[in-house]
Amino acid sequence: MIFDTISSRRDFITNLARTAGCTALAGIIPLSCEKEEPPVSDDLAAAYINEIIGIIDTIAERETPVIRQVAALSVQARLQGRNLYSYMTGGMTPFETANSRAGNPHVFLEENPREAQKGDLIVTNDADFVRGLGERSAIVAGITSPWIVNAQTPAGALENMGGFRIEDVADHIISSHIPYTDGVVHVSGVKLPVFPASGIIHTALYYILVAEITERLAENGIYPRIG
Amino acid sequence: MFGQQYFDALKTALSALNSRSGEVENAAAHLFTAVTNGGRVYVYDPSGGIENELVNQNATLALYHSFSTDRRKPAEGDVLLVCSHLPDNREALDAVNGAHAAGTTVTAVAPEGGITRRADIAVINNSDRDHGVITTQGSADTFCPVSGITNAALCWMITAQLAEKLLDDGKTPTFMWGEYLENGSSLREEARRRYGETGY
């Protein structure tokens, strides 16, 4: 469904034109049926930081409700004596989100997350890892990754990855708004965007969620143990 | 709300990185000199994060080597890019000393301290010396760090600047790609071949 991948009015019009046939709209809306060359920055370092900040702004704007919902569910589970687990993969993310990392307030258990049971909650960016946990009635909060198809993956972009989607296994989805390419900067002469966002964005999402959970736990008299 | 506090602190820290552009430029120039003269760039992070982030991953430069796992160790003409969220991490200091003993020069991304003082080129990252940007009643410690993120962002800025220098010099850098992409395995194989031929 084209609306799943819409991120702007321009995207809507472009997708509609491709669906209906380019000639139908030619001359009405200035479109080309050829793929447009993406803009190439003349300051790649600044472009990267700007893209990262842009993604963070989008997350703040669109994902705050679901983040707070997952935080509330996490605290509810904890107060009911259930376990909270996290399982994060990728480049820097598993290292930065480990409980041993200085400044991590140890909200989540790391050991044996596959043992999550009914009423436990697991946060992950690895949809493959949590297959089957929902059948045990564990609550799964999934953070979208570029390497697994999700509602924002452009149609046909990851056909080679099959039909499995994070939406198949997660009860709650926190969209990372990272493009399927992971790379976010266009470089002259290189087909796909480069310099990935996932390590930074997944780590940021983890700590935003941890911050929300820690605050709610503190309101209930449970204070963090800092790594 | 703590989540909003973290958002705000992270954005402030990331935005401030543009003020390090001079140091980033120096670091990129250092790496550029090495790779265009037959040298290699090794990446080391005592926590493992940055090494895993930069080396052999999707959308990164194929020229990065892992200091921890590469069979060939740094030698004269190479550069060690060492990254740490602690200013005086013992393992990082040992890596710096070992690199110098081998004739390897060092670029460091770390808080101001022993590592940056011993490095040949330093990109100072004091964004989060207390390992966190949030405090709460009941704990004297700060928590929820941003330093790992800002270290990674600085490393990507250096990478981007290095790519720009190569392009300005008429050289298209080789990028590594992820297995998950269409034809990912072939793309990776081609990247390894091209890097082996060009050295960048």
Side-chain angles (χ1 to χ4, degrees):
Chain A
M1 175 77 172
I2 61 171
F3 300 104
D4 289 343
T5 62
I6 301 303
S7 59
S8 67
R9 287 182 63 202
R10 182 181 174 81
D11 267 358
F12 173 84
I13 294 168
T14 306
N15 277 282
L16 187 61
R18 290 197 181 115
T19 304
C22 293
T23 53
L25 291 173
I28 300 173
I29 297 167
L31 288 176
S32 169
C33 293
E34 300 290 323
K35 264 192 175 171
E36 279 182 41
E37 279 297 311
V40 174
S41 173
D42 58 359
D43 185 339
L44 299 182
Y48 180 75
I49 292 298
N50 290 340
E51 289 293 333
I52 293 296
I53 291 175
I55 292 172
I56 289 170
D57 279 339
T58 302
I59 289 169
E61 183 186 318
R62 300 188 192 176
E63 305 304 314
T64 298
V66 65
I67 290 171
R68 288 182 176 167
Q69 181 184 28
V70 171
L73 286 169
S74 300
V75 172
Q76 184 180 17
R78 181 80 183 271
L79 292 176
Q80 290 170 349
R82 307 309 311 171
N83 290 325
L84 306 180
Y85 296 96
S86 73
Y87 185 81
M88 302 293 287
T89 62
M92 61 185 265
T93 308
F95 301 89
E96 276 299 309
T97 59
N99 277 339
S100 57
R101 202 314 184 172
N104 191 328
H106 292 222
V107 165
F108 296 109
L109 297 173
E110 293 173 320
E111 295 79 25
N112 308 317
R114 285 287 309 174
E115 293 182 1
Q117 297 296 323
K118 181 178 180 178
D120 293 341
L121 185 141
I122 178 166
V123 173
T124 185
N125 63 349
D126 189 334
D128 277 320
F129 182 80
V130 293
R131 287 201 210 216
L133 291 187
E135 289 158 24
R136 271 187 249 149
S137 298
I139 305 165
V140 178
I143 298 173
T144 64
S145 300
W147 49 83
I148 293 179
V149 178
N150 60 72
Q152 295 191 336
T153 308
L158 291 181
E159 273 182 353
N160 53 300
M161 295 298 288
F164 175 67
R165 295 159 61 109
I166 189 170
E167 286 84 358
D168 296 333
V169 293
D171 302 291
H172 306 276
I173 307 287
I174 299 172
S175 177
S176 63
H177 296 274
I178 303 168
Y180 84 95
T181 54
D182 207 351
V184 292
V185 177
H186 293 277
V187 172
S188 177
V190 183
K191 186 179 169 188
L192 292 175
V194 291
F195 313 135
S198 58
I200 287 176
I201 298 299
H202 282 163
T203 301
L205 273 168
Y206 173 91
Y207 279 112
I208 289 163
L209 186 54
V210 161
E212 289 283 321
I213 294 171
T214 304
E215 181 175 20
R216 286 166 173 76
L217 287 175
E219 288 168 356
N220 284 276
I222 303 170
Y223 294 100
R225 181 186 128 216
I226 312 298
Chain B
M1 302 291 284
F2 284 6
Q4 188 61 51
Q5 277 184 45
Y6 189 82
F7 264 125
D8 293 340
L10 179 59
K11 272 191 67 176
T12 299
L14 286 170
S15 298
L17 295 184
N18 283 321
S19 69
R20 322 263 18 139
S21 59
E23 292 165 54
V24 167
E25 167 74 24
N26 288 343
H30 188 203
L31 271 57
F32 174 82
T33 300
V35 300
T36 53
N37 287 283
R40 287 181 163 200
V41 179
Y42 290 85
V43 181
Y44 179 58
D45 171 3
S47 75
I50 300 298
E51 210 164 322
N52 213 48
E53 177 78 356
L54 292 186
V55 180
N56 210 28
Q57 296 287 350
N58 179 51
T60 183
L61 286 175
L63 58 82
Y64 284 131
H65 294 262
S66 166
F67 176 81
S68 299
T69 62
D70 208 274
R71 280 190 209 165
R72 187 188 128 181
K73 293 302 170 192
E76 193 165 346
D78 296 334
V79 171
L80 175 66
L81 173 60
V82 62
C83 199
S84 173
H85 61 263
L86 299 171
D88 300 294
N89 175 273
R90 184 73 254 162
E91 290 161 306
L93 287 168
D94 287 345
V96 171
N97 292 337
H100 282 154
T104 300
T105 52
V106 177
T107 291
V109 177
E112 193 165 2
I115 297 168
T116 57
R117 279 195 294 273
R118 292 189 201 188
D120 300 282
I121 303 285
V123 182
I124 307 284
N125 181 16
N126 286 333
S127 64
D128 174 16
R129 295 190 69 115
D130 295 324
H131 308 306
V133 296
I134 297 175
T135 55
T136 187
Q137 185 183 11
S139 173
D141 298 319
T142 54
F143 55 95
C144 290
V146 299
S147 52
I149 289 174
T150 51
N151 270 357
L154 281 166
C155 287
W156 285 118
M157 290 173 75
I158 293 169
T159 303
Q161 195 79 318
L162 171 58
E164 201 167 312
K165 287 185 176 306
L166 287 165
L167 287 164
D168 288 344
D169 203 44
K171 300 172 172 62
T172 302
T174 305
F175 287 91
M176 184 51 69
W177 301 106
E179 290 273 0
Y180 76 96
L181 293 169
E182 190 176 357
N183 301 315
S185 297
S186 304
L187 291 173
R188 289 174 71 80
E189 207 174 298
E190 170 59 19
R192 285 189 201 101
R193 184 200 64 75
R194 187 177 186 277
Y195 168 65
E197 283 178 6
T198 62
Y200 52 80

